Amino acid sequence: MNNPRMEGKIATIMLPERVDSATSASVEALMVGALRPGADVIVDGSAVTYMSAAGVRALAIVLHKAAELSARIVFCSFSGPAADCLLVSGFSQLFDVADSMEEALSRLRPKLGGSLEDRLHPHGATG
């Protein structure tokens, strides 16, 4: 397990191969350590080959703590049995799960609204 990596102001956490009863406490601590008020966090599950109910529970606990801090978390790149575990448990409907790191980043980056002209010249502005 690696310490959180920062890309811009987005922390990225790489999960280990196994997220189970033996590793869930340290995985939870790693994710909680990246949380700050208003933080943006990506949890990369690309290395996960096995996830137990204890692992899903750790993700749910962190999601709850993030909500308390108004932090945003996107889980990404889960595949195989780990993705199946999230799907079967029903937690994939509660979590923001992206297929790739790029998709996760796009969900967390601010989106500019309106047309370019509206952003440059707001309605009612003169000049």
Side-chain angles (χ1 to χ4, degrees):
M1 236 175 333
N2 298 329
N3 288 330
R5 185 181 85 226
M6 296 297 286
E7 178 167 328
K9 293 187 178 210
I10 300 173
T12 302
I13 298 167
M14 294 289 300
L15 296 181
E17 269 187 51
R18 296 180 62 88
V19 184
D20 55 20
S21 59
T23 62
S24 64
S26 60
V27 166
E28 180 182 330
L30 180 66
M31 290 188 290
V32 168
L35 295 178
R36 303 283 180 273
D40 290 332
V41 179
I42 294 175
V43 177
D44 185 340
S46 60
V48 179
T49 58
Y50 176 78
M51 183 180 301
S52 71
V56 174
R57 186 172 48 252
L59 299 182
I61 288 168
V62 170
L63 189 64
H64 179 73
K65 289 181 181 183
E68 291 174 352
L69 294 170
S70 297
R72 298 183 304 166
I73 296 183
V74 177
F75 299 90
C76 74
S77 304
F78 286 86
S79 63
D84 292 344
C85 185
L86 291 175
L87 185 64
V88 169
S89 68
F91 280 101
S92 62
Q93 295 175 358
L94 299 175
F95 299 152
D96 188 356
V97 182
D99 290 334
S100 67
M101 178 64 75
E102 294 76 23
E103 183 181 343
L105 284 167
S106 72
R107 290 183 188 186
L108 291 174
R109 287 193 179 119
K111 291 184 173 61
L112 298 174
S115 70
L116 178 60
E117 184 174 291
D118 288 341
R119 290 194 309 271
L120 293 175
H121 301 286
H123 297 288
T126 59

